[in-house]
Amino acid sequence: MAEFEPQIIAFTCNWCTYAAADLAGTSRIHYPANVRIVRVMCSGMVSPMYVFKAFEGGADGVLVAGCNHTDCHYIDGPVKCDAMFARLKKIVHVLGLEDERLRRELISTSEGVVFAQVIQEMVEQLRELGPSPFKIKAEAVA
Amino acid sequence: MEQVKIGVYVCHCGSNIAGTVNVEEVARYAGTLPSVVVFRDYRDLIKSDIKELGLNRVVVASCSPRMHELTFRNACQEGGLNPYLYEQANIREQCSWVHDDKKVATEKAKDIVRAAVKRVYFHESLEVKKAPVNPNVLVVGGGIAGIQAALDIANGGKEVYLVEREPSIGGHMIQFDRTFPTLDCSECILTPKMADVGHHPFIELLAYSEVAEVSGSIGQFKVKVKKKARHVDESKCVGCGVCEEKCPWKVPSEFEMGLGNRGVIYIPFAQAIPNLATVDADHCAYIQSDGKKCGACIKFCEAKAVTPETLLNQTDQIVELEVGSIIVTTGYDQFDPSVIAQYGYGKYDNVLTGLHFERVTCAAGPTGGKILLNNGKEPESVAIVHCVGSRDQNYHEYCSRVCCMYGLKYAHLIKEIANAGVYEFYIDMRCFGEGYEEFYKRLSEEGVNFIRGKVAKVTDRAVTDEEKGKLIVVAEDTLLGKMIRVPVDMVILCAGLEARSDADKVASLFTLNRRADGFFLERHVKLDPVATPTDGVFIAGCCEGPKDIPDTVAQASAAAAKALSLISKGTITLESAIASVDETKCLGCGRCEEICTFHAPRVVCKNGVMVSTINETLCKGCGACAVVCPTGAMTIRHFTQEEISAQVGALTEAG
Amino acid sequence: MNLDDIIQETKTYYCLECGKCTSICPVARYDPSFSPRTMIENALLGFEDELVFNEKLFSCLTCYTCQQRCPCDVDFAMFIRKARVMAQNNGQHGACAHSGQLQSLARLMSSPHIKQRRLEWLPDKYRISDESDVLLWVGCAPYFEPIFEDIEFRALDITEASLKILNFLGIEPELLSDEKCCGHDALWTGDVETFKKLAQHNATQIKEAGVKKIIFSCPEGYRTFKLDYPSYGFGLGCELQHISEFLAERIEKGELKFNEMTKKVTYQDPCRLGRHLGLYDAPRKVLESIPGIEFVEMEHNREDAICCGTSAFTNCDTYSNMIRAERLSEAKATGAEMLITCCPKCQTHFRCAMVDKGEEKRPIPKIEVMDLVNLVAGALGGQE
């Protein structure tokens, strides 16, 4: 039986975390291929609907990453994202979703290494946890 | 909607992509996706394909859009396609360069391309709009930074409004006695610049004024300035100062740091620009008694600039300005050491801060330039304490940069003026600038005692006879490893620089962010120190962080250059990927207006219905409003919910 | 599901094209492009695409106002519900409110693999028991709390008030730790698959609990269990009651005494309780039993009551807003200090309507809104 490979959808802001992911690339830092990155202009642009859509589609984990609080191109996007994320966490908590499956990170432009580490860590955690409880599709049960 | 025809181009990028990703396979896969009419594993034929095949969407799978999105958008434009009908799939930085398994990387590249194809389907043509730049500039704060910036711009032939809230420009620099390391008299080097500002045909000086409201955006700001009432007729006052002489009421002078007094009607210092008297209305007996008491100034003013009319009826005025850019140079506050109880500031006599000491040594100051204790005698010994409120996690973690140098400066002046013993207590000696280290060396020749140790406390509790009547400074001399008690007559605390107490108010007025240390946030700490995340608003000088005069002047000129560059260009390109409102879905609830940091959405009445409208010059396209909109009325062009959902759906399809 | 079947099942062939439905439709009153009559007409003429690909299909409130007036017995609400199933099958999901988050939530919840944490909010002061004959249905309340934080509406307050009242009466109800959304919104949005999954799960849970009676504080849950579960073959084998009915019964028996509460109130008849189930008297009886309460009817009440403006979190737009503004004006015009409703959805929508964060304020009247259950819980007293 094929080993379970989790799928992660990462929402990354254009100015910081997307750039950090690019930096991981230019530095040739390797990390697991399980992640698919969605570029948004600001982490404050991430709507709970996108996260739900990712889980409905069968993602095993979602990462919402952006600038830290002093670097935001739009000044306080991370604050807005934090507020949204706190509400979202409460909702998925009642749904019984494991904490590791929905993760928030503040990764700035220069932190390519951190990006790679976060992905590595998430993939390892999700391999342990198994497929998402929302995965109603027939295949991929460890 | 017309039929969507997508062209997909997958780059080899030499072996950068092709080394790990099977580019031909990805291109062939793209060809199987809905609405894709052409797929190629090279990117040469984009322009001709647009024309010949009638493509109305283009996807290039290659490097990061942060690298070449603009390049390919331009290529589309040259081919006759709106540049926003283009999407880039990042299969290099985020795929071929970070994975080594060719099969896995190729599958991932296919996912990324599929998502880009699904997303580009929803892209729409967007107009690229430009707006004109108003050539006037507003400079807020008339210290050395504001003065320098205003002069640089005015000398470039452009109109500047310089707003200063005190009755005169000059800031803190005009309070200094000598400047390190040259020991130039501060007034002497500053007042010619101040005079230039006063006369300059291109500078309109609004002193004793404050900015009350700012609206608009880069290129077209609207500013309301409150001109406070001086209660003096500015057109008649010649600044002779007789009114102040004759004023029977004296209050502590802010300029003199409370060490001297001023009249209730006063000119803050001799070289004030503008050279006008100002009435401190809160303390004026005439104004407070509604014209019944005093009135001495009215009697003695030969120019008839002070009259019952000006005293009783003059009110604050609002002036409305239109400018294209703003330079904020609001300076710093000196740290108040009274919170450090163990240093005895405010408790003991003869414990002063740096700014106090500046006034003491100044020949035009309250002591005529003599260093005197409260009892009128000269001190036999003085302690200078470094790092008061700085490099201290209990107050400010940062180093205030200038205190070591001014501490050394005082050591020299004390030797020169009072020939007293000087004990300089420091942790490190930061002499980084031009001539600074040389100045430090010079002081060793002058017999200054340097003690490496942060002062624990200043006390008046004598333990020995020698200490009686003195202030005792207690510290560990870390180089000797000994606790020492040094009895002195005067203690000067090198109080650090901190952000102004009303920095929050200023920040919200100009949409500035504050760093963790309280100063205003620059756009990039290394590469863009005078710009801010708010386009068209620049910062310079100590409001951006503690610095000495050369650095302040350099930043002020840098900010002026930025403003001049904007004026020279004449137009700004507005962001196209901004918010837009579907009025049939809008509830007019105002959640968008509430959350926006840039004040772009506003709920207004349109055809009898309250709906949100977007000021397109203010909107940055951050997307926060669309997230809080309960009905989906608010969308961000080029980042609509529909297309991002399509992208997410496409990415999870294979999983 | 094809158009002919829909017409047959909902008797739309009887339509006289008289226009009565459109004339009293609250949506049509404001939205010039919305017409129940035209939708029926399109269906009867076989213009499937006109019906299915019309965004306005999801604007209907399914409030039953039209079919109550219809001289020909057309079941319009059911017609809409079935047309929406067709629409879903054609990839049309409607522009749902809150970007479709609520619909998505129901779909996520329908997964058999989730292990919900539904009872973490429950404070120790309430007594519940697994042995009870009575089940208190909690519904979506634990999810509504974070979702509707910004309008300061805590649906769990209604649940807690229900528990307080039941405990007061000596009842220690059972609370299920794994109930799921009743599926009302999924069903009315045309997502029958999700509805069936949820219903199957709930029916199983209830059977295992072996209770004799289920009390609902939400009219939508109540209607769905009472009418829709049986029609899809999910029998429950127990009595179902809305809490207002339960309270009215107890008041009749003299078991509930209230302290004096001086308030002038008016009452919103929820569509699902009123026109859908004919329950108008019980809530009024409860209100009239609290001494000091002065109850004034709105101009349009009972069968004539105006819907709160959004249903099943489908399309919410400027017209929904106008409907709410009208309704709140009616409430305000009664002179009441408080608008009582016994539907958490109505309350959500009214509260949202009164959100006014812009500098220029909307001309929507502001009035305090409260659930009947919270009012009752606040007035409890008399015995003990």
Side-chain angles (χ1 to χ4, degrees):
Chain A
M1 187 191 290
E3 201 187 287
F4 163 64
E5 279 303 333
Q7 188 188 54
I8 300 172
I9 300 291
F11 295 96
T12 62
C13 80
N14 176 64
W15 306 94
C16 278
T17 310
Y18 190 90
D22 278 351
L23 180 60
T26 35
S27 317
R28 310 294 197 278
I29 300 170
H30 282 220
Y31 53 84
N34 307 58
V35 63
R36 301 286 179 272
I37 295 172
V38 177
R39 178 175 162 228
V40 288
M41 289 315 284
C42 177
S43 54
M45 192 184 252
V46 179
S47 160
M49 193 53 212
Y50 302 149
V51 178
F52 285 170
K53 182 99 192 179
F55 282 121
E56 275 197 74
D60 300 291
V62 173
L63 172 66
V64 178
C67 303
N68 54 51
H69 293 87
T70 48
D71 287 347
C72 179
H73 185 82
Y74 307 101
I75 307 202
D76 57 356
V79 175
K80 295 165 184 163
C81 182
D82 285 347
M84 180 285 296
F85 195 78
R87 279 197 315 273
L88 183 59
K89 265 289 189 184
K90 285 184 192 160
I91 299 170
V92 300
H93 179 80
V94 183
L95 280 171
L97 190 70
E98 301 97 318
D99 210 32
E100 296 87 337
R101 294 195 191 272
L102 178 59
R103 183 165 170 165
R104 172 124 170 81
E105 286 293 335
L106 307 178
I107 303 176
S108 75
T109 321
S110 57
E111 297 183 306
V113 174
V114 175
F115 180 79
Q117 280 172 344
V118 168
I119 300 299
Q120 180 76 51
E121 200 178 277
M122 257 189 108
V123 170
E124 282 164 15
Q125 285 174 337
L126 293 174
R127 280 201 190 116
E128 287 280 308
L129 286 177
S132 156
F134 301 124
K135 219 162 192 152
I136 324 176
K137 294 179 189 162
E139 78 284 6
V141 177
Chain B
M1 161 148 110
E2 61 164 349
Q3 195 198 359
V4 171
K5 293 181 184 166
I6 306 174
V8 181
Y9 303 83
V10 188
C11 262
H12 286 250
C13 196
S15 64
N16 276 308
I17 296 179
T20 325
V21 170
N22 187 331
V23 172
E24 291 84 8
E25 193 181 317
V26 175
R28 274 198 307 276
Y29 171 75
T32 66
L33 297 169
S35 302
V36 174
V37 304
V38 66
F39 59 93
R40 300 191 195 282
D41 62 340
Y42 48 86
R43 53 177 168 79
D44 290 344
L45 296 178
I46 297 177
K47 287 182 222 174
S48 54
D49 279 348
I50 293 172
K51 288 197 175 85
E52 286 160 33
L53 302 175
L55 296 183
N56 47 32
R57 303 284 188 284
V58 170
V59 172
V60 171
S62 60
C63 54
S64 170
R66 286 175 59 92
M67 281 238 61
H68 283 311
E69 187 169 56
L70 201 54
T71 321
F72 289 115
R73 275 188 182 166
N74 287 340
C76 288
Q77 195 155 32
E78 283 162 32
L81 188 66
N82 183 285
Y84 287 91
L85 294 171
Y86 165 76
E87 180 73 13
Q88 190 152 333
N90 184 340
I91 61 169
R92 190 182 72 170
E93 281 87 335
Q94 295 183 1
C95 188
S96 71
W97 274 352
V98 289
H99 307 311
D100 40 29
D101 181 328
K102 191 149 183 174
K103 192 157 175 291
V104 166
T106 304
E107 286 309 304
K108 180 165 170 174
K110 286 184 192 171
D111 286 349
I112 296 172
V113 169
R114 181 178 65 247
V117 167
K118 292 270 168 89
R119 184 161 170 178
V120 83
Y121 184 93
F122 293 103
H123 279 348
E124 286 182 4
S125 294
L126 296 180
E127 213 186 312
V128 177
K129 290 189 189 158
K130 287 195 194 287
V133 169
N134 183 316
N136 299 342
V137 183
L138 171 69
V139 177
V140 184
I144 177 61
I147 289 168
Q148 183 64 44
L151 285 172
D152 281 344
I153 294 169
N155 287 338
K158 300 299 169 193
E159 185 80 37
V160 182
Y161 298 105
L162 177 56
V163 174
E164 164 56 50
R165 72 169 165 202
E166 297 299 322
S168 164
I169 55 174
H172 281 303
M173 189 176 167
I174 199 68
Q175 286 179 296
F176 300 163
D177 174 29
R178 314 281 190 84
T179 56
F180 55 75
T182 51
L183 301 174
D184 281 318
C185 146
S186 183
E187 277 176 25
C188 309
I189 57 175
L190 181 56
T191 48
K193 286 201 191 249
M194 285 167 60
D196 275 349
V197 166
H199 306 141
H200 208 295
F202 284 106
I203 299 180
E204 187 173 329
L205 176 56
L206 295 151
Y208 205 50
S209 305
E210 288 184 37
V211 174
E213 197 184 288
V214 180
S215 61
S217 59
I218 181 178
Q220 41 198 281
F221 291 106
K222 281 194 167 56
V223 182
K224 287 196 179 143
V225 176
K226 180 171 79 170
K227 280 195 73 166
K228 299 184 284 194
R230 285 185 196 260
H231 295 287
V232 162
D233 185 343
E234 293 187 20
S235 62
K236 295 198 174 129
C237 176
V238 297
C240 66
V242 171
C243 53
E244 185 170 7
E245 256 181 63
K246 302 295 182 186
C247 178
W249 308 90
K250 302 291 179 211
V251 292
S253 162
E254 294 87 351
F255 176 75
E256 301 292 3
M257 299 297 291
L259 294 175
N261 290 332
R262 60 163 172 81
V264 165
I265 183 169
Y266 68 106
I267 297 175
F269 49 87
Q271 304 88 339
I273 299 281
N275 189 17
L276 297 170
T278 305
V279 178
D280 176 359
D282 291 338
H283 292 109
C284 172
Y286 188 90
I287 294 178
Q288 295 298 322
S289 68
D290 226 21
K292 297 196 182 69
K293 293 198 191 149
C294 194
C297 50
I298 302 173
K299 254 189 277 180
F300 287 100
C301 177
E302 282 190 19
K304 298 278 172 268
V306 196
T307 64
E309 173 70 28
T310 63
L311 283 174
L312 297 177
N313 298 335
Q314 205 184 72
T315 52
D316 297 343
Q317 307 258 292
I318 299 281
V319 176
E320 294 196 24
L321 308 172
E322 284 180 14
V323 297
S325 50
I326 300 175
I327 302 178
V328 175
T329 48
T330 47
Y332 68 91
D333 274 345
Q334 183 180 243
F335 172 77
D336 179 355
S338 47
V339 293
I340 309 182
Q342 56 267 41
Y343 286 167
Y345 177 75
K347 181 177 171 194
Y348 302 123
D349 291 339
N350 303 311
V351 177
L352 317 171
T353 68
L355 278 178
H356 286 99
F357 198 69
E358 297 288 344
R359 298 316 306 149
V360 165
T361 59
C362 181
T367 60
K370 290 213 176 95
I371 301 174
L372 300 174
L373 302 170
N374 271 29
N375 58 17
K377 297 212 181 97
E378 281 194 320
E380 284 174 0
S381 52
V382 181
I384 302 174
V385 180
H386 286 219
C387 301
V388 175
S390 309
R391 301 186 68 191
D392 188 338
Q393 71 174 33
N394 301 304
Y395 309 104
H396 296 301
E397 268 193 63
Y398 55 82
C399 165
S400 289
R401 205 168 160 98
V402 298
C403 321
C404 280
M405 286 314 300
Y406 78 61
L408 291 175
K409 176 180 75 175
Y410 298 155
H412 169 82
L413 290 174
I414 293 165
K415 283 293 181 191
E416 189 184 277
I417 299 171
N419 198 23
V422 178
Y423 299 90
E424 187 114 4
F425 293 85
Y426 69 99
I427 310 175
D428 295 292
M429 210 42 101
R430 292 184 165 175
C431 310
F432 55 90
E434 199 184 310
Y436 291 9
E437 188 67 28
E438 294 89 324
F439 185 78
Y440 178 27
K441 185 169 175 190
R442 189 172 138 192
L443 286 176
S444 325
E445 295 162 17
E446 292 180 11
V448 173
N449 299 298
F450 289 102
I451 299 159
R452 192 192 177 277
K454 189 168 164 107
V455 168
K457 67 177 177 192
V458 171
T459 175
D460 64 353
R461 291 247 186 98
V463 160
T464 63
D465 280 337
E466 196 189 32
E467 289 180 2
K468 286 210 178 87
K470 300 273 195 186
L471 289 171
I472 303 111
V473 179
V474 182
E476 186 207 0
D477 182 332
T478 59
L479 296 175
L480 287 177
K482 267 166 74 164
M483 285 296 293
I484 55 169
R485 294 172 62 95
V486 180
V488 294
D489 295 313
M490 178 188 272
V491 175
I492 304 172
L493 301 174
C494 294
L497 278 57
E498 60 182 21
R500 290 270 190 196
S501 57
D502 65 346
D504 262 340
K505 183 162 153 259
V506 174
S508 76
L509 259 181
F510 298 100
T511 318
L512 295 174
N513 218 15
R514 293 178 70 190
R515 298 197 301 253
D517 61 11
F519 295 95
F520 296 133
L521 180 70
E522 62 281 282
R523 188 168 272 209
H524 191 280
V525 61
K526 289 253 178 290
L527 301 177
D528 213 352
V530 296
T532 66
T534 304
D535 291 330
V537 178
F538 306 101
I539 48 177
C542 286
C543 67
E544 189 270 339
K547 52 182 66 72
D548 56 7
I549 294 166
D551 286 349
T552 298
V553 169
Q555 266 200 353
S557 293
K562 293 253 178 195
L564 287 168
S565 160
L566 196 59
I567 297 168
S568 166
K569 184 139 179 260
T571 60
I572 41 152
T573 308
L574 302 177
E575 176 63 66
S576 299
I578 56 174
S580 101
V581 180
D582 177 346
E583 291 181 3
T584 63
K585 288 193 151 272
C586 179
L587 305 175
C589 67
R591 286 174 172 96
C592 49
E593 189 179 320
E594 186 192 38
I595 201 167
C596 181
T597 311
F598 303 99
H599 310 300
R602 248 200 104 87
V603 175
V604 295
C605 190
K606 248 188 181 185
N607 304 321
V609 184
M610 302 291 284
V611 289
S612 178
T613 53
I614 299 290
N615 178 332
E616 298 203 344
T617 55
L618 290 177
C619 179
K620 300 256 201 158
C622 75
C625 55
V627 173
V628 296
C629 178
T631 62
M634 189 69 77
T635 49
I636 309 298
R637 294 185 193 133
H638 208 66
F639 286 90
T640 63
Q641 296 227 332
E642 203 176 28
E643 65 174 84
I644 298 183
S645 293
Q647 187 182 6
V648 175
L651 288 172
T652 50
E653 232 177 79
Chain C
M1 178 72 50
N2 66 44
L3 200 51
D4 279 331
D5 289 337
I6 298 177
I7 293 171
Q8 291 298 317
E9 286 168 34
T10 58
K11 305 211 183 84
T12 29
Y13 44 64
Y14 280 141
C15 173
L16 285 176
E17 288 137 50
C18 66
K20 198 103 183 259
C21 51
T22 308
S23 68
I24 35 97
C25 171
V27 181
R29 184 145 62 245
Y30 295 107
D31 183 350
S33 64
F34 186 83
S35 166
R37 182 185 57 76
T38 314
M39 284 187 211
I40 301 271
E41 184 74 4
N42 279 323
L44 290 174
L45 290 172
F47 294 147
E48 201 172 292
D49 282 0
E50 301 285 336
L51 181 65
V52 160
F53 291 95
N54 179 6
E55 207 185 49
K56 298 293 174 174
L57 181 61
F58 287 86
S59 286
C60 175
L61 301 171
T62 59
C63 66
Y64 274 37
T65 308
C66 56
Q67 63 204 62
Q68 202 150 74
R69 295 284 202 285
C70 175
C72 315
D73 230 13
V74 172
D75 190 344
F76 189 73
M78 198 54 73
F79 167 79
I80 291 288
R81 194 163 108 179
K82 289 178 192 289
R84 286 176 182 172
V85 177
M86 255 178 78
Q88 293 276 359
N89 292 341
N90 276 281
Q92 298 301 301
H93 310 296
C96 293
H98 296 281
S99 318
Q101 279 173 57
L102 282 307
Q103 283 77 6
S104 186
L105 183 62
R107 290 191 296 266
L108 290 170
M109 216 187 289
S110 71
S111 163
H113 308 300
I114 64 169
K115 291 186 174 56
Q116 294 183 92
R117 302 183 183 110
R118 286 193 60 98
L119 294 176
E120 285 181 1
W121 59 272
L122 183 64
D124 290 332
K125 59 181 171 179
Y126 299 116
R127 301 181 309 274
I128 59 168
S129 164
D130 282 344
E131 318 293 316
S132 182
D133 278 345
V134 176
L135 181 73
L136 177 65
W137 187 258
V138 178
C140 287
Y143 292 101
F144 273 26
E145 187 180 357
I147 296 174
F148 296 111
E149 233 171 49
D150 89 308
I151 58 169
E152 292 164 31
F153 174 53
R154 188 171 177 269
L156 286 168
D157 283 345
I158 301 175
T159 318
E160 287 198 34
S162 309
L163 281 168
K164 182 178 175 189
I165 298 169
L166 289 171
N167 285 171
F168 185 83
L169 291 168
I171 299 174
E172 295 180 11
E174 179 164 356
L175 291 186
L176 290 176
S177 63
D178 196 24
E179 61 177 84
K180 290 190 179 174
C181 172
C182 63
H184 171 279
D185 289 355
L187 186 60
W188 288 92
T189 323
D191 185 2
V192 180
E193 290 314 308
T194 301
F195 166 74
K196 283 194 208 161
K197 284 184 198 156
L198 294 166
Q200 174 73 66
H201 175 94
N202 286 331
T204 311
Q205 291 272 306
I206 288 166
K207 285 225 174 66
E208 282 170 16
V211 293
K212 296 209 172 75
K213 171 146 85 178
I214 309 177
I215 297 180
F216 295 85
S217 53
C218 174
E220 296 194 337
Y222 183 44
R223 182 243 137 82
T224 309
F225 273 68
K226 197 157 179 139
L227 300 181
D228 302 301
Y229 275 36
S231 78
Y232 278 89
F234 299 108
L236 299 161
C238 57
E239 188 194 341
L240 305 172
Q241 220 180 19
H242 186 258
I243 195 160
S244 61
E245 289 180 298
F246 171 80
L247 289 170
E249 260 177 24
R250 294 300 170 120
I251 291 167
E252 185 82 28
K253 289 192 190 145
E255 285 175 29
L256 263 178
K257 295 264 187 311
F258 299 111
N259 291 329
E260 173 123 355
M261 189 187 263
T262 314
K263 260 200 203 332
K264 190 171 178 187
V265 306
T266 184
Y267 174 71
Q268 161 75 355
D269 289 284
C271 300
R272 268 57 182 158
L273 204 62
R275 282 182 292 265
H276 283 231
L277 294 170
L279 223 168
Y280 302 106
D281 293 326
R284 286 169 171 79
K285 183 161 180 91
V286 175
L287 283 172
E288 277 154 10
S289 309
I290 304 175
I293 292 282
E294 188 193 336
F295 173 58
V296 188
E297 293 275 10
M298 285 192 259
E299 188 190 331
H300 293 93
N301 56 71
R302 290 173 174 264
E303 297 85 358
D304 291 341
I306 304 173
C307 176
C308 67
T310 296
S311 159
F313 287 110
T314 56
N315 190 32
C316 178
D317 57 17
T318 191
Y319 309 114
S320 324
N321 206 32
M322 292 173 189
I323 295 169
R324 289 194 261 279
E326 185 186 329
R327 195 54 172 158
L328 287 169
S329 300
E330 276 200 12
K332 202 79 183 187
T334 62
E337 324 161 36
M338 203 181 254
L339 171 60
I340 303 291
T341 175
C342 43
C343 175
K345 295 285 193 70
C346 288
Q347 189 173 161
T348 309
H349 300 312
F350 283 132
R351 280 179 183 267
C352 180
M354 294 189 281
V355 165
D356 223 351
K357 305 278 175 95
E359 213 181 290
E360 276 194 53
K361 299 298 170 193
R362 301 188 284 171
I364 294 189
K366 313 280 191 287
I367 184 171
E368 207 185 322
V369 183
M370 189 187 274
D371 195 281
L372 179 68
V373 169
N374 292 106
L375 187 74
V376 167
L380 284 181
Q383 49 237 86
E384 273 195 340

